Amino acid sequence: MGFDEMDVDTIWMDGEYVDWDDAEIHVLTHGLHYGSGVFEGVRCYDTENGPALFRWEEHLDRLYESAKPYDMEIEFTKADLTEATKELISRQELPSCYVRPIAYYGYNSLGVSPSDCPPRPAIAAWPWGAYLGEDALENGIDVMISSWRKHASSQIPTNAKTTGLYVNSMLAGEEARRNGYAEAIVLNKEGNVAEGPGENVFLVRDDEIYTPGLSESILDGITRDSVIQIAEELGYTVHDDVSISRGELNPADELFFTGSAAEVTPIRKVDNVVIGNGSRGPVTEAIQQRFFDIVEGAPEEYDEWFEYVEM
Ligand SMILES: Cc1ncc(COP(=O)(O)O)c(C=O)c1O
C-alpha cells in the first residue's frame, strides 16, 4: 500500500511538525547523492497495556551509534526524538505502526566531504502490516542465496544502519524476487552466511539454535537480540557467535529470519531445496508464538522492552 492510500498527515523534520506533503528536501541534498544517512525501523505495537514502541531505547542507541563513524552530530537529544515520535503516533492515532527515524547530511555543497552540510533528522510513522505478508509468518518463505555479497566490515561499518548500505540489500532482494523468491540470504565476503537484506538469519539443528556472530558483517539486530533472549527463556541453547557456512543451510532442521519489519519469519526453502519439513518448524513456531505473545501482551517480565505512548 502506498503512502497516498494511508491516513497519515504529519512528519517531524528538524524539530518541526510539518504536513506530510510538505516534508520535502532539496535535490542537491548530500544524503541523496552519497547515501550519507543513518536510520532506524521500529515497530509500535498495540499491546494489552496500550500502544508501545518495541525496544525504542535500543533503536535510539543504535541510531546515534550509526552516526558516529560518519562524524554526524544529531542536534537533538534522545529525549527530543522520543517526544516527537510519541507525538506523531498520538496525533495521527496510529496505535500500531512502523516508525522511521532518519538523520542525513543535508544541503549546502556537493563535495564528498559533508562537513558543511547540516545533519538533518526526521521521523515518520505509518501503518505497516507483516513485511513479507501474513502468509509468510505462518507458512514461511522461499529464499535464494544472492549472487551479491555483503560488504565486509573492513570496507564499511556494517553494524551501522546507513542508508547507502541498502543498495546492496536492494540488489539482493530484487534479484531474489526477479527469480521468483520472496527474499534473499546474503553471504559475506568470506562466503559464510551473513544475513537477509533487512533481516538476521537463524538456523536450528538438533534443537539447538545458531545465528552468525557480530563479526560476520551483520547488523546487530534488535529482534535478533530479543529472539536470543526468548529462545533462552524457552530453554534452548543459542550459539550467537558462530560462522555458518553456506553448506550448513540445506541440512538445517529449520531456518528463520528476524527483523523489526519481518518479525519472526520461517524459511521453508533455500534455492528450491526444502528445509526440514518444508513448513514452519516447531522451534521457529515456539519462538514466534512467544515473540508475538510478548509484543502483543507486554508482560511484566519484559516491561523494559516497551516505551508506552499516550494516545
Ligand atoms: C541488514 C539488516 N539486518 C538485520 C536487520 C534486523 O535488525 P532489527 O531486528 O534491529 O530490525 C535489519 C533491519 O533493520 C537490516 O536492515
Side-chain angles (χ1 to χ4, degrees):
M1 184 160 76
F3 290 123
D4 285 346
E5 298 154 66
M6 293 178 192
D7 195 13
V8 282
D9 53 36
T10 311
I11 286 185
W12 181 90
M13 266 181 109
D14 310 306
E16 309 282 334
Y17 297 95
V18 299
D19 275 353
W20 188 279
D21 292 339
D22 296 334
E24 292 180 334
I25 56 169
H26 198 281
V27 72
L28 298 182
T29 293
H30 193 279
L32 178 64
H33 291 252
Y34 305 122
S36 57
V38 295
F39 69 106
E40 276 303 319
V42 189
R43 276 194 192 264
C44 178
Y45 286 100
D46 192 10
T47 79
E48 282 168 21
N49 308 328
L53 292 153
F54 184 64
R55 307 208 62 183
W56 175 247
E57 230 177 276
E58 290 82 354
H59 281 284
L60 265 190
D61 287 348
R62 191 170 66 186
L63 181 73
Y64 283 76
E65 283 165 18
S66 293
K68 276 194 174 173
Y70 303 104
D71 295 326
M72 185 189 287
E73 297 276 344
I74 300 173
E75 284 177 6
F76 290 85
T77 64
K78 292 180 184 176
D80 294 332
L81 300 198
T82 304
E83 190 191 316
T85 300
K86 290 182 176 180
E87 177 68 21
L88 279 180
I89 293 171
S90 70
R91 266 192 200 203
Q92 299 179 101
E93 298 174 21
L94 296 171
S96 142
C97 61
Y98 182 83
V99 178
R100 169 56 55 86
I102 185 169
Y104 54 93
Y105 279 112
Y107 167 83
N108 194 37
S109 63
L110 265 187
V112 170
S113 169
S115 55
D116 59 358
C117 297
R120 297 191 55 188
I123 307 170
W126 63 86
W128 211 2
Y131 179 58
L132 296 162
E134 283 296 335
D135 179 66
L137 293 175
E138 195 175 327
N139 297 316
I141 55 167
D142 297 349
V143 305
M144 76 175 274
I145 305 288
S146 179
S147 67
W148 296 100
R149 294 283 173 92
K150 187 83 195 182
H151 316 89
S153 52
S154 56
Q155 295 169 317
I156 194 156
T158 49
N159 58 339
K161 201 166 162 62
T162 310
T163 58
L165 279 180
Y166 282 78
V167 289
N168 177 262
S169 292
M170 189 183 87
L171 286 165
E174 291 308 292
E175 177 189 38
R177 285 180 276 279
R178 210 181 295 126
N179 284 285
Y181 299 87
E183 190 59 302
I185 286 179
V186 189
L187 305 179
N188 61 22
K189 191 167 146 275
E190 290 70 35
N192 293 320
V193 175
E195 57 186 351
E199 306 88 1
N200 291 110
V201 182
F202 283 75
L203 179 153
V204 182
R205 181 130 199 198
D206 297 333
D207 276 336
E208 297 202 359
I209 299 173
Y210 301 81
T211 192
L214 298 182
S215 55
E216 298 296 308
S217 300
I218 64 165
L219 186 72
D220 185 0
I222 292 162
T223 322
R224 173 185 183 275
D225 177 70
S226 308
V227 158
I228 291 169
Q229 293 189 50
I230 290 170
E232 286 173 344
E233 177 216 287
L234 294 176
Y236 294 106
T237 301
V238 183
H239 307 272
D240 63 358
D241 200 15
V242 292
S243 293
I244 298 178
S245 65
R246 175 176 183 165
E248 288 173 86
L249 293 176
N250 288 156
D253 297 330
E254 303 177 30
L255 292 174
F256 62 91
F257 274 142
T258 65
S260 300
E263 299 169 304
V264 179
T265 299
I267 296 172
R268 61 183 177 203
K269 281 186 194 166
V270 177
D271 286 341
N272 276 327
V273 176
V274 172
I275 304 303
N277 59 10
S279 62
R280 176 174 57 188
V283 177
T284 306
E285 187 171 354
I287 290 169
Q288 193 191 48
Q289 183 67 51
R290 184 69 181 134
F291 175 82
F292 281 113
D293 285 350
I294 291 170
V295 298
E296 285 160 14
E300 211 178 305
E301 64 272 26
Y302 284 101
D303 191 46
E304 61 186 26
W305 284 3
F306 295 91
E307 178 78 34
Y308 287 95
V309 181
E310 293 287 325
M311 295 302 270

